[in-house]
Amino acid sequence: MALPMLPGNYINKNLGKEKFHKSQHFDYSNGVPMMVGLEKPGIGGELLLGQKARPNYSVFPKGQGCETPSWVAFDKQVLCFDAFFQETVPQKQEEKYRVRKCKIYFYLEDDTIQVVEPEVKNSGIPQGTLIRRHRIPLPPPDGERCYTVHDFNVNQPMVLHSRTFTITDCDPFTRNFLRKIGVRLNAPTAPPPDPYSDLRQQMEENMKPQRPYERQDTLKQFLDHDRNVLRFYCFWDDSDNMFGDPRELILHYFLADDTIEIREVIHPNSGRDAAPKFLRRSKLPKSSVCSHQPGEITDRTVLNVFGPMGQGGRYILDSLKTGAMAQQFYKDSDLTLGGVMNVWGRRVIICDCDNFTKEYYRSKYGIEDFSPVQYKAPLTPEPPRPVPPYNGFGSEEDSLCSCQGLLPKPPQKDFRKLMEKDRQGLESNVLRFMGKMVTDNPIDAERVFIISFHLSDDTISVFQPPQRNSGVLGGRFLERGRVKKPGQELFKSEMSQYFSAQDLYVGARITLNNQDFQLLDADEYVFNYMERHSDEFPRANIGSILSKIRSLPEDKHKEIKQFLDLSDPGNTGLIPYEPFRGLLVGLECGLSEHEVMTLGRCYCERRQPEEDVGLMLAVTQDHLRKKHFESFSDMSRAFAHQDQPKTGRLSTKEVRTICKAFQLPLPDDLLRALIHKFAAGSEDLDYHAFLAGINWRVDPTPPILPDDVLKFDLDGSREARGPEVKDVNCSVLLEDVFGSVGTNTNLTL
């Protein structure tokens, strides 16, 4: 420069420059430190002396149209060119050079090139991807620049990594694209012939016959019907032969290749060897010819042969197939129910098929009649096996099992009934009745028994509650077990009859081991269970009870109405239960005590018995005193903290939560009844009164006796006592029995 290097005489090149980073020239490659930045720019990305910029993206388009980047605009757009290159083959006599055809793919999105050679069968050379996809630089001296779309044209050579490829043609998409960007394409040319490839092709043509064999394409049938098999149940009567008998066969027809396989059904103890197959899988001919001579069945017929045998010989084939033998095989259309098949001279009858086969013939051939052929004689009923009478040793079930087999097995129990009727939570599945002995002894006549029937295994147990000053020790009276009904012979072949749940009801008289008992009452669970299962217990079925009343004579109906009118002078529709019971018992209509109680329960006005609050608080304080619970002040503070409006009342749910948080040692049923009593039907209660009632330190209740504790029974394992039956709604009963209160002619329900 002519001017001196003084301020103001030259332009500062760093003015407005923002990038001053330095390119990294050293890095690790395969764990070895080396210099990798020979072509990287200088400070701030400026090119050094002698460097040329390389474009990172495609050169086309340059801001034309939309501003979409090239990797989006040319995504999945590839130019395809047909090319070849010539390769020398040294030290081989058959060929001096080889012409290898390939395809060149140019990806427009990033100017990358890929060269692929199509694989040729039995070529003996590695083929496929010759050059993987990447940007390829131009040959020297233009090595700094890579190939772009403008460097491609038809019928011109191009050097890719020191190998010369000649482009011969391109596909229509490539041709249209190059024409649109202004490239004038040359005329396509054909690749030069390859001498060795032509020789191989000539040899293969000479090896083929003059008239090639016909090809039968069964691939479509295989793909459509693979693993689809028709199953037929067949019958072969071999009784005419010596030691022959009827045979049951299963025929499998494979739709994939029209082959047939037959298997024989070998029954246990039939005396036959279990052969794997009766007929192996193959095509089954319709003719009964056992075999053919070699060469008898061929696809083509040779008319004459002249010349030496083997190489150089001549022969002529019959194109009209005049001497060919056509062999017919069984198809799916030939297999019908009731049809007869010739299985290598054996007459096999098709009797039945499975559901898939029926659906196949229904959809393809429209067959609807699939009536099976009866080929088996009806089985003769087995004669009854006489059972010896019971000998008195063990139980009857054990003796019967010892007669049913050589190795005696224990009798099988009804496991399903045991699981369904076993105890599940509060559902005990035990029917408890109160009974007394039927005897002339006045002492035994006053004894009270609890008779329990277990539904899980139909067993009965009898327990006598202890009574003071009775002179009789209480406890277990009868061990749990099945009890036979009276009046049965001991040594007999038939099984004895045992008491079932239907034999026990209020008013029944049963005999347990030669001792008569009269069932007087039952607990609430028994009535509820029988009413829920009224189809099993007819004496708890309200429909059958009303039917018995309707079947009474006309004078009995008038007597019932007159008695109800006299018992209800105020016309309230309600009468006491005891007169109602006396009416039904006095009519002698065949109703048992249990049926009368069921009828009263159905049409009763129930009254919930009043609970003794003083006894409830006494039992509660007795529980807390025995558990040494004294955290009443802490509970009071917790109640006051929960009571934000300071009203002195909390909801029953909050009171129960606080009691559970302090682990109040009370049974859950007792705590629930206590909260319900203090709530008095509302959703909240006065927690001050609740704490004062259970505080045995400040306000203790009088001590209670053990008998008083037993009276207040809130055991969770038993069902709570239901409301007492006091009055019966006679108006509703008359309407259900006679249709209306004042009508005595309509006797339908």
Side-chain angles (χ1 to χ4, degrees):
M1 120 178 237
L3 297 177
M5 299 292 292
L6 295 177
N9 293 336
Y10 65 94
I11 300 175
N12 189 1
K13 296 181 180 181
N14 293 330
L15 291 177
K17 188 175 181 180
E18 297 180 356
K19 298 181 180 180
F20 297 93
H21 65 276
K22 185 177 181 181
S23 301
Q24 182 178 356
H25 290 254
F26 298 94
D27 200 355
Y28 283 90
S29 180
N30 296 329
V32 179
M34 58 179 58
M35 185 174 182
V36 296
L38 296 177
E39 299 181 357
K40 290 189 176 182
I43 297 175
E46 295 182 356
L47 297 177
L48 299 176
L49 186 62
Q51 286 185 346
K52 296 182 179 180
R54 292 186 178 183
N56 295 328
Y57 303 100
S58 177
V59 297
F60 184 82
K62 297 182 178 180
Q64 299 180 6
C66 62
E67 297 181 357
T68 306
S70 60
W71 58 273
V72 175
F74 298 108
D75 185 27
K76 298 182 181 180
Q77 296 188 11
V78 184
L79 304 183
C80 179
F81 299 91
D82 297 332
F84 72 92
F85 66 94
Q86 185 172 338
E87 182 181 27
T88 59
V89 181
Q91 299 179 358
K92 196 170 184 181
Q93 182 180 0
E94 290 82 1
E95 53 180 344
K96 301 299 182 183
Y97 64 92
R98 183 180 299 142
V99 177
R100 302 176 62 176
K101 301 177 183 178
C102 57
K103 289 185 176 294
I104 301 177
Y105 298 101
F106 182 82
Y107 296 86
L108 295 173
E109 55 182 342
D110 53 359
D111 293 348
T112 54
I113 299 175
Q114 182 184 11
V115 181
V116 178
E117 182 182 7
E119 296 184 359
V120 180
K121 186 178 180 180
N122 297 329
S123 63
I125 56 177
Q127 295 175 326
T129 302
L130 300 180
I131 301 176
R132 63 177 179 84
R133 178 181 173 181
H134 66 288
R135 300 184 66 191
I136 301 178
L138 292 171
D142 299 329
E144 295 84 2
R145 191 170 62 88
C146 296
Y147 277 100
T148 61
V149 66
H150 297 285
D151 298 325
F152 287 84
N153 204 334
V154 179
N155 198 5
Q156 75 173 13
M158 59 186 310
V159 180
L160 303 178
H161 293 305
S162 302
R163 177 171 288 181
T164 303
F165 294 85
T166 303
I167 299 178
T168 59
D169 201 355
C170 61
D171 59 356
F173 171 76
T174 305
R175 189 182 304 276
N176 296 334
F177 184 83
L178 293 178
R179 286 178 179 175
K180 289 180 181 179
I181 64 175
V183 177
R184 181 175 296 178
L185 294 176
N186 301 328
T189 182
D194 185 11
Y196 185 71
S197 299
D198 296 343
L199 178 62
R200 288 289 302 272
Q201 184 178 3
Q202 185 178 1
M203 292 175 60
E204 291 179 359
E205 292 178 356
N206 293 334
M207 293 173 62
K208 294 181 180 180
Q210 297 293 334
R211 296 180 178 86
Y213 294 101
E214 295 181 357
R215 181 182 178 184
Q216 297 180 357
D217 189 6
T218 59
L219 180 61
K220 184 178 185 303
Q221 180 182 0
F222 173 78
L223 295 177
D224 292 343
H225 301 288
D226 185 26
R227 298 184 181 182
N228 292 341
V229 183
L230 305 181
R231 176 181 293 180
F232 297 90
Y233 302 98
C234 307
F235 172 73
W236 172 41
D237 190 3
D238 193 28
S239 303
D240 297 337
N241 296 331
M242 184 179 296
F243 308 112
D245 56 353
R247 307 280 191 90
E248 297 183 23
L249 307 175
I250 296 179
L251 185 145
H252 293 157
Y253 184 88
F254 298 87
L255 296 173
D257 53 358
D258 298 330
T259 56
I260 293 177
E261 175 190 77
I262 301 179
R263 294 178 177 268
E264 184 178 2
V265 180
I266 305 296
H267 296 283
N269 301 326
S270 62
R272 295 188 177 274
D273 295 334
K277 294 180 182 178
F278 185 82
L279 176 67
R280 66 178 180 86
R281 180 177 175 180
S282 60
K283 289 189 175 183
L284 182 62
K286 295 182 179 181
S287 61
S288 60
V289 179
C290 296
S291 61
H292 296 274
Q293 297 297 328
E296 187 176 355
I297 299 178
T298 57
D299 296 336
R300 292 298 181 91
T301 303
V302 180
L303 295 180
N304 50 19
V305 179
F306 56 93
M309 298 296 295
Q311 187 70 22
R314 299 291 184 268
Y315 59 91
I316 299 177
L317 299 179
D318 184 10
S319 60
L320 300 179
K321 302 181 182 180
T322 56
M325 295 182 60
Q327 195 173 14
Q328 296 182 357
F329 298 94
Y330 279 103
K331 300 292 184 181
D332 55 349
S333 58
D334 302 324
L335 307 179
T336 57
L337 296 185
V340 180
M341 295 181 58
N342 182 12
V343 182
W344 298 106
R346 295 166 178 83
R347 189 172 179 271
V348 177
I349 303 175
I350 302 176
C351 301
D352 201 357
C353 59
D354 59 357
N355 295 329
F356 173 77
T357 306
K358 294 178 183 178
E359 186 64 29
Y360 174 79
Y361 279 92
R362 186 181 293 109
S363 59
K364 185 175 182 180
Y365 298 104
I367 300 176
E368 296 293 339
D369 186 14
F370 296 98
S371 301
V373 178
Q374 299 295 335
Y375 62 93
K376 291 183 180 181
L379 298 177
T380 58
E382 295 184 1
R385 181 182 298 178
V387 179
Y390 176 57
N391 54 10
F393 293 95
S395 62
E396 295 183 0
E397 291 79 4
D398 290 336
S399 300
L400 181 61
C401 290
S402 63
C403 300
Q404 292 177 348
L406 186 60
L407 298 177
K409 297 181 180 179
Q412 297 292 332
K413 296 183 179 180
D414 193 351
F415 184 75
R416 185 171 186 176
K417 181 179 180 180
L418 178 64
M419 297 301 296
E420 291 178 354
K421 299 297 183 180
D422 195 13
R423 182 183 182 92
Q424 298 177 359
L426 299 179
E427 191 74 16
S428 63
N429 286 319
V430 178
L431 306 182
R432 296 182 177 88
F433 298 88
M434 185 187 72
K436 287 188 177 182
M437 283 186 179
V438 180
T439 178
D440 297 334
N441 189 349
I443 298 178
D444 293 339
E446 296 298 329
R447 298 169 65 181
V448 179
F449 298 90
I450 303 298
I451 302 174
S452 302
F453 186 88
H454 302 267
L455 296 172
S456 60
D457 53 359
D458 296 340
T459 56
I460 297 177
S461 63
V462 181
F463 179 81
Q464 181 182 2
Q467 297 179 1
R468 289 187 177 183
N469 301 325
S470 63
V472 180
L473 295 177
R476 183 181 302 170
F477 183 81
L478 177 63
E479 186 74 21
R480 176 179 175 181
R482 300 177 66 189
V483 181
K484 296 181 181 180
K485 292 184 178 180
Q488 303 184 68
E489 185 181 354
L490 179 60
F491 303 103
K492 61 183 185 301
S493 300
E494 295 80 12
M495 297 293 296
S496 299
Q497 296 182 2
Y498 294 86
F499 280 104
S500 61
Q502 288 75 18
D503 300 326
L504 276 70
Y505 54 91
V506 178
R509 184 171 179 175
I510 60 176
T511 302
L512 304 179
N513 295 344
N514 298 327
Q515 180 62 52
D516 295 338
F517 290 89
Q518 183 76 25
L519 302 184
L520 303 178
D521 199 359
D523 59 2
E524 187 72 17
Y525 177 79
V526 174
F527 290 103
N528 292 335
Y529 183 86
M530 289 186 174
E531 291 170 2
R532 290 199 307 267
H533 304 82
S534 58
D535 53 342
E536 301 178 10
F537 300 92
R539 288 178 175 81
N541 193 337
I542 191 64
S544 62
I545 298 174
L546 294 178
S547 300
K548 290 183 180 181
I549 299 177
R550 294 193 195 97
S551 61
L552 294 175
E554 190 70 20
D555 54 348
K556 298 287 185 181
H557 293 171
K558 294 180 180 180
E559 184 179 352
I560 292 175
K561 291 184 179 180
Q562 292 176 1
F563 180 83
L564 295 179
D565 292 339
L566 294 176
S567 300
D568 185 19
N571 199 16
T572 60
L574 301 176
I575 63 173
Y577 173 72
E578 289 300 331
F580 175 76
R581 175 183 173 277
L583 170 65
L584 296 179
V585 173
L587 289 176
E588 298 180 358
C589 55
L591 295 179
S592 63
E593 186 68 25
H594 194 105
E595 292 174 326
V596 173
M597 297 178 69
T598 302
L599 193 63
R601 287 168 54 87
C602 182
Y603 294 97
C604 70
E605 291 291 334
R606 295 179 179 266
R607 299 176 184 176
Q608 189 71 27
E610 295 292 335
E611 296 179 351
D612 191 354
V613 182
L615 180 60
M616 184 186 300
L617 294 177
V619 173
T620 302
Q621 292 189 8
D622 184 67
H623 278 282
L624 298 179
R625 186 184 299 107
K626 291 180 179 180
K627 297 296 182 179
H628 304 286
F629 183 81
E630 300 180 356
S631 302
F632 300 105
S633 58
D634 297 337
M635 290 183 64
S636 177
R637 287 192 293 270
F639 283 136
H641 176 74
Q642 191 70 21
D643 184 17
Q644 297 294 336
K646 304 302 180 183
T647 59
R649 303 183 67 86
L650 287 176
S651 64
T652 57
K653 185 177 180 180
E654 294 175 341
V655 172
R656 181 178 176 83
T657 302
I658 294 175
C659 292
K660 290 295 183 181
F662 280 89
Q663 298 181 359
L664 197 67
L666 291 177
D668 191 64
D669 291 340
L670 179 58
L671 178 61
R672 187 185 303 110
L674 198 63
I675 294 176
H676 177 73
K677 192 63 180 177
F678 275 91
S682 61
E683 296 182 356
D684 54 358
L685 56 85
D686 186 359
Y687 58 86
H688 296 292
F690 176 77
L691 286 176
I694 65 175
N695 195 341
W696 60 274
R697 281 290 187 184
V698 178
D699 189 11
T701 59
I704 58 176
L705 299 177
D707 293 342
D708 297 334
V709 179
L710 292 176
K711 292 179 182 178
F712 192 81
D713 186 10
L714 285 173
D715 189 1
S717 61
R718 300 182 183 178
E719 191 168 329
R721 185 180 48 165
E724 297 179 356
V725 179
K726 294 295 184 181
D727 299 327
V728 178
N729 195 336
C730 59
S731 60
V732 179
L733 175 61
L734 290 176
E735 184 177 357
D736 291 344
V737 175
F738 305 113
S740 63
V741 178
T743 304
N744 56 3
T745 59
N746 187 10
L747 302 181
T748 59
L749 181 60

